[in-house]
Amino acid sequence: MNYWFTIVLIPIVLSLGITPALQTEMIPNAEAVKSKGNSLTEINSKKVCGDKLCSEIIDNKKEINKSTIMTSQKGLFPSTMDYTVTGPEINPEKGYAVIEIGDGLYWVTDGMYQIMFLTTGEGVILVDAPMGMGTKIQQAVSEVTSEKITHFIYTHIHKDHVGSASLLPQDTVYISHIDTAKHLAMKNDPQRPVPTVTFEDQYTLIVGDQVLELYYIGAFHSKGDIVISSPVHKVIMAVDLFHPNAAPFQFMGIARDMGEHLAAHDKLLAMDWEIIISGHEPILGTPEHLKFNKEFTLSVLDNAITAMQTTQPSANYFGDLANRCAELTLEQYPDLKDIELYPVENCVTMVFYAMID
Ligand SMILES: [Zn+2]
């Protein structure tokens, strides 16, 4: 860590002009900092469906929704809740498990990564295609349906979750937030085809007898992060926001904007759902898991602020702050899965958020 602080933090500190003399002036009001990322913000109500305003097609959509939902009676299977406690057995030869968690809604996991797909009667909608799962994705789909994949949704830009997107049939419709499309156009990466259907705030995807609502609630993790909701199943998918029943990946899940990251918890908790597919871990998530992660995140923020209020200026001030914050966090959550992996890295993100964001 000393090396890391030397090559990364010191240049940042110098470039920001932060000197030990200023350190005490930068200690924030704890409640003011916490409230920045803790407000209940309504999802932007401006609705864009592809290249049309949703208001232009809303009446038609309502009719379709009514007929499909009333005739299909889709829902979540009660047995699905078992997977919020213990993950499914994964056949080591196959390397994944594919499970129908609601009518026509399938969850696929290799124990580390998670995706979902829906059969619609008119083709499969696939959400995410992790680089490491490759051709296993098509294999999982073929296990349960003869329908071919017709639609693909990017949850966000990151290749580890979408790097097998190019392995899909050539006429697949690729859908994403506009920021994901811009990023992928800039990257020109053959493994991540540039989406042709994009949206800014909200998009409704209707294929056959399935309806998905896609929302942008802010960049809670990377760029173009979206929430995919199947209202009839009460299932949502939001990837890399949190790990159910585990500590975050390093630097608070590599969150680029801690304010958006924290606020996303409240925005999701205000929605109506029972299961969240988080992209990682062997289990499915629940609102309780998400509430716990919010509590954990606010505790790390508290610990960063406590460290700032009690640590004396020194040559390694930021290192001292992160280390003290990590000690406090480890004392509070000794039994949380993976807590020991990145306590200092997570505190580095929180110290910078509390101090200079
Ligand atoms: Zn990611």
Side-chain angles (χ1 to χ4, degrees):
M1 284 309 297
N2 286 339
Y3 175 73
W4 193 89
F5 274 108
T6 304
I7 62 165
V8 178
L9 288 187
I10 289 177
I12 290 172
V13 169
L14 291 175
S15 70
L16 291 167
I18 299 169
T19 66
L22 288 173
Q23 288 165 1
T24 50
E25 295 173 31
M26 296 170 69
I27 295 172
N29 175 294
E31 292 310 311
V33 172
K34 283 161 69 175
S35 68
K36 281 201 298 183
N38 197 23
S39 60
L40 190 64
T41 309
E42 285 194 3
I43 291 165
N44 192 327
S45 60
K46 184 185 170 194
K47 297 178 179 179
V48 180
C49 294
D51 58 354
K52 289 192 177 71
L53 284 174
C54 289
S55 56
E56 294 173 41
I57 58 171
I58 196 77
D59 290 339
N60 184 32
K61 190 188 87 180
K62 275 180 185 166
E63 286 308 310
I64 295 169
N65 278 350
K66 206 187 296 174
S67 62
T68 53
I69 292 166
M70 284 180 68
T71 53
S72 62
Q73 297 291 322
K74 294 183 186 302
L76 191 67
F77 299 152
S79 58
T80 295
M81 300 315 287
D82 296 347
Y83 297 116
T84 66
V85 180
T86 309
E89 277 190 33
I90 294 171
N91 179 331
E93 284 185 17
K94 279 202 315 189
Y96 65 87
V98 54
I99 295 157
E100 188 175 16
I101 62 172
D103 296 285
L105 196 163
Y106 294 82
W107 172 49
V108 185
T109 178
D110 62 2
M112 273 190 73
Y113 282 83
Q114 308 181 341
I115 61 174
M116 76 171 180
F117 67 86
L118 298 95
T119 55
T120 71
E122 295 181 8
V124 167
I125 307 168
L126 173 65
V127 187
D128 276 2
M131 200 161 53
M133 293 178 86
T135 55
K136 289 176 188 166
I137 296 165
Q138 183 62 64
Q139 194 182 323
V141 171
S142 301
E143 258 188 57
V144 299
T145 181
S146 58
E147 292 178 26
K148 73 165 198 163
I149 297 167
T150 56
H151 294 75
F152 177 77
I153 300 172
Y154 287 96
T155 58
H156 68 300
I157 58 173
H158 283 157
K159 201 167 182 169
D160 60 324
H161 288 273
V162 299
S164 295
S166 62
L167 303 179
L168 307 179
Q170 223 166 14
D171 53 354
T172 300
V173 176
Y174 289 86
I175 303 165
S176 79
H177 185 260
I178 184 73
D179 291 347
T180 297
K182 284 179 184 169
H183 184 84
L184 297 187
M186 183 256 295
K187 285 287 180 177
N188 194 25
D189 176 2
Q191 291 180 298
R192 291 174 288 176
V194 178
T196 50
V197 176
T198 63
F199 68 99
E200 289 186 18
D201 299 315
Q202 184 177 356
Y203 181 80
T204 302
L205 176 64
I206 302 169
V207 182
D209 62 359
Q210 300 279 14
V211 180
L212 290 179
E213 298 287 354
L214 282 52
Y215 300 105
Y216 182 70
I217 62 167
F220 55 77
H221 162 61
S222 61
K223 265 191 213 171
D225 310 309
I226 59 170
V227 181
I228 297 104
S229 167
S230 177
V232 292
H233 295 102
K234 292 188 184 275
V235 170
I236 62 171
M237 182 163 173
V239 167
D240 281 350
L241 173 64
F242 81 118
H243 287 221
N245 264 359
F249 188 57
Q250 58 186 317
F251 303 108
M252 299 309 290
I254 324 182
R256 295 188 185 197
D257 186 327
M258 272 311 299
E260 295 283 10
H261 180 85
L262 263 168
H265 290 70
D266 286 328
K267 292 173 186 174
L268 289 184
L269 289 169
M271 294 170 66
D272 182 22
W273 53 274
E274 293 178 15
I275 291 290
I276 182 168
I277 295 174
S278 67
H280 286 289
E281 296 301 314
I283 61 171
L284 293 167
T286 64
E288 288 307 312
H289 286 133
L290 187 59
K291 279 180 205 163
F292 173 80
N293 196 70
K294 178 187 166 186
E295 174 199 304
F296 173 85
T297 307
L298 289 174
S299 295
V300 180
L301 178 55
D302 267 338
N303 294 339
I305 292 167
T306 300
M308 290 157 66
Q309 291 168 337
T310 57
T311 302
Q312 296 303 311
S314 72
N316 187 28
Y317 182 59
F318 289 94
D320 291 346
L321 292 179
N323 287 330
R324 180 65 190 134
C325 164
E327 284 171 9
L328 293 168
T329 306
L330 286 166
E331 283 168 15
Q332 286 169 344
Y333 296 94
D335 300 324
L336 182 61
K337 185 186 175 205
D338 296 340
I339 187 69
E340 74 288 358
L341 294 182
Y342 307 110
V344 177
E345 290 85 346
N346 286 332
C347 279
V348 166
T349 295
M350 276 306 194
V351 164
F352 275 90
Y353 171 61
M355 188 174 275
I356 61 173
D357 186 58

